[in-house]
Amino acid sequence: MTPATAPHRAYLRRRGRLTTAQARALDELSPRYLVDLPDTDMGADFWLDTFGRDGPLAIETCFGNGAALVQFAKSRPTWNCLGVDVYRPGFGALMLACERDGIDNVHIADSEVLSLLCRLEPGTVSRLSALFPDPWPKKRHHKRRLVNGDFAAAVAACLEVDGTLHLATDWEDYASQMIEVLGAEPRLEGGVAARPERPVTPFEAKGLARGRRVVDLAYRRVVTLQLS
Ligand SMILES: C[S@@+](CC[C@H](N)C(=O)[O-])C[C@H]1O[C@@H](n2cnc3c(N)ncnc32)[C@H](O)[C@@H]1O
């Protein structure tokens, strides 16, 4: 696929205060967990090499401190789990959790997610999730939001048939935007869903403390009829 442009890339925050433990993790554990992303497209062989085994590929983007990804990876030891984000303190936190719990089915890609999805071989992802992507609440900033038409098209392309997309947000108008853009993508079917098994994330906890309502969404990749 041709990489789509990612207009929100300029607004991503890579750096933040690192704890001593996170700094140590970035120094010592990056060779073990960070994926060396190629300039070329990435197919099943690339993930076989990266994880050292075959298995369903689950991607969590916007993983923050990685707690949800850790829980998912522990509950699905046969899955290959990839965290995609750009926030270095989060990389450190996730590496520390993986080291502590002896998790060996997680790797981290330091990348803006849309540009990565556009370089994946179509139909190679079994599950994709983004919990509480930045809400960009001001109307003039809505164009920076991750979940838009380009994202929906990229997700539909990289998911295998019956593969799933899971999203959560606590901004009502972002939930409406997600429902609208994903509803317009014929290869995805779904909508508002019951909360799946996942921990309360740090961003979610802040919203809940302010009385926000969380909306979970789930979609499935379906086969569409190609009329010639
Ligand atoms: C609001 S935080 C939520 C973090 C976590 N999921 C939680 O609920 O606590 C958003 C996260 O998404 C990441 N992020 C935002 N846009 C991204 C993009 N286009 N590609 C990769 N990561 C992105 C940020 O770096 C940050 O870690």
Side-chain angles (χ1 to χ4, degrees):
M1 279 179 75
T2 312
T5 51
H8 37 266
R9 189 180 309 191
Y11 311 113
L12 296 180
R13 191 164 154 240
R14 302 186 68 80
R15 296 188 181 273
R17 186 194 290 262
L18 285 168
T19 65
T20 309
Q22 288 167 355
R24 196 274 303 165
L26 287 172
D27 271 354
E28 293 179 9
L29 302 177
S30 289
R32 178 163 159 200
Y33 292 111
L34 262 195
V35 179
D36 198 6
L37 290 172
D39 295 330
T40 51
D41 288 355
M42 290 161 271
D45 285 354
F46 176 75
W47 301 115
L48 185 63
D49 276 0
T50 299
F51 286 91
R53 63 176 193 179
D54 207 358
L57 180 63
I59 295 180
E60 181 175 336
T61 187
C62 305
F63 63 74
N65 72 2
L69 182 55
V70 164
Q71 189 189 74
F72 183 86
K74 277 184 183 169
S75 69
R76 309 279 202 297
T78 59
W79 285 52
N80 294 333
C81 304
L82 181 73
V84 183
D85 205 307
V86 297
Y87 188 58
R88 288 171 52 77
F91 296 173
L94 176 55
M95 289 175 191
L96 285 171
C98 289
E99 182 189 46
R100 180 195 63 215
D101 294 353
I103 294 171
D104 60 5
N105 59 335
V106 168
H107 281 278
I108 300 171
D110 178 356
S111 175
E112 191 288 316
V113 67
L114 182 58
S115 57
L116 182 136
L117 295 182
C118 290
R119 286 159 53 214
L120 297 180
E121 186 180 306
T124 52
V125 177
S126 299
R127 182 184 203 271
L128 197 133
S129 57
L131 304 176
F132 306 94
D134 294 290
W136 295 110
K138 291 183 183 159
K139 196 161 179 138
R140 69 174 187 279
H141 291 156
H142 284 184
K143 56 182 177 297
R144 299 180 183 179
R145 286 176 167 173
L146 173 65
V147 182
N148 58 21
D150 285 348
F151 178 81
V155 171
C158 71
L159 280 181
E160 65 183 3
V161 171
D162 282 336
T164 55
L165 168 68
H166 302 264
L167 299 170
T169 182
D170 58 358
W171 284 80
E172 207 174 320
D173 70 316
Y174 198 6
S176 302
Q177 174 175 331
M178 290 173 175
I179 290 167
E180 190 181 327
V181 298
L182 296 165
E185 171 48 65
R187 294 167 290 177
L188 296 175
E189 265 182 21
V192 176
R195 182 193 172 90
E197 189 57 36
R198 61 172 175 78
V200 175
T201 72
F203 192 85
E204 179 177 19
K206 283 187 204 159
L208 290 173
R210 290 184 187 131
R212 295 193 172 285
R213 191 173 69 90
V214 172
V215 177
D216 278 275
L217 300 172
Y219 291 82
R220 188 172 65 86
R221 171 68 159 91
V222 295
V223 183
T224 49
L225 277 181
Q226 302 248 345
L227 299 175
S228 52

